[in-house]
Amino acid sequence: TEMLGAAESWGEQNPMLGTRGVRLAALRPGLYEMQVRALLEAALAVRAEGGTPVIEVMIPLTVTRSELARARGWVESAIATTPGAGDLDVLIGTMIETPRAALVAGELAEIADFFSFGTNDLTQLTYGFSRDDVEARLVPEYLAAGILPANPFQTLDPHGVGELVQIAVERGRSHHPALKLGVCGEHGGAPASIEQLVATGVDYV
């Protein structure tokens, strides 16, 4: 009963916009340090076997510079307190998943070693579409009516989502010229979308 009550206390009206990503870590101190410590220990084990692990820790859903700086501090604390981890190659970056993150990408780039564009969520939040609810119901109607030229969850929207990616690339690189840029989303597997994303200046999909 106690465990059920604890689980129910986390119930939300709109989980997609709720306590997930870095927001959950903000409410659960130590969560990211625990996860990063486990990652570091695994990397040290690989290195002990002769491997050369390269670690990229990606903070999801950040929307402000201070939020990302705080999360980076958790990761750096784990590195500092894990014996041997200081010798590992660790990059700390963030997902660009919201329109705000794209618009303030310059500020985020001051804290991040890399960006990964989460185009699935960026599409949902740009359109105001919940993919789980509209893709099977509304999107076919909009396609048939010519309201949408393509399913935005399969083909990157060039005029909204694509432009936000472009803005984030330009603003991020203006503050951090060596910023590594990638894409984590379904669009990274669609040829037309890949062509568009590469044209914006991303390094990999």
Side-chain angles (χ1 to χ4, degrees):
T1 302
E2 184 177 345
M3 290 182 66
L4 178 60
E8 289 176 342
S9 72
W10 284 91
E12 297 179 320
Q13 295 299 316
N14 190 344
M16 192 191 94
L17 298 178
T19 311
R20 62 189 184 105
V22 72
R23 305 163 193 166
L24 178 61
L27 296 177
R28 280 288 176 263
L31 176 63
Y32 277 11
E33 287 189 46
M34 174 190 70
Q35 293 178 334
V36 172
R37 194 169 293 112
L39 175 62
L40 296 170
E41 290 172 354
L44 289 167
V46 169
R47 190 177 67 176
E49 295 173 357
T52 54
V54 177
I55 304 164
E56 297 186 356
V57 178
M58 187 160 58
I59 310 297
L61 277 172
T62 51
V63 293
T64 74
R65 184 186 191 281
S66 57
E67 185 179 48
L68 180 56
R70 185 185 188 196
R72 185 179 183 107
W74 296 328
V75 177
E76 291 173 340
S77 175
I79 295 171
T81 57
T82 302
D87 297 330
L88 292 170
D89 183 6
V90 181
L91 298 179
I92 304 170
T94 190
M95 292 277 281
I96 304 295
E97 300 171 84
T98 70
R100 188 182 202 283
L103 294 172
V104 301
E107 297 178 15
L108 297 177
E110 295 174 357
I111 306 297
D113 299 321
F114 67 90
F115 286 167
S116 183
F117 292 96
T119 58
N120 294 347
D121 264 353
L122 189 56
T123 297
Q124 291 195 94
L125 294 170
T126 300
Y127 275 92
F129 286 169
S130 168
R131 181 176 187 175
D132 292 337
D133 297 315
V134 308
E135 191 167 29
R137 183 182 304 163
L138 179 67
V139 170
E141 168 62 26
Y142 272 23
L143 292 173
I147 295 171
L148 289 173
N151 182 339
F153 296 110
Q154 295 176 0
T155 302
L156 188 73
D157 160 44
H159 305 298
V161 181
E163 187 167 350
L164 285 169
V165 172
Q166 182 71 64
I167 288 169
V169 169
E170 293 171 358
R171 294 182 183 178
R173 285 245 170 93
S174 71
H175 286 250
H176 185 166
L179 187 70
K180 189 164 119 177
L181 302 169
V183 175
C184 177
E186 187 173 328
H187 303 95
S193 300
I194 292 172
E195 185 176 346
Q196 182 184 342
L197 289 163
V198 170
T200 67
V202 301
D203 298 308
Y204 65 92
V205 295

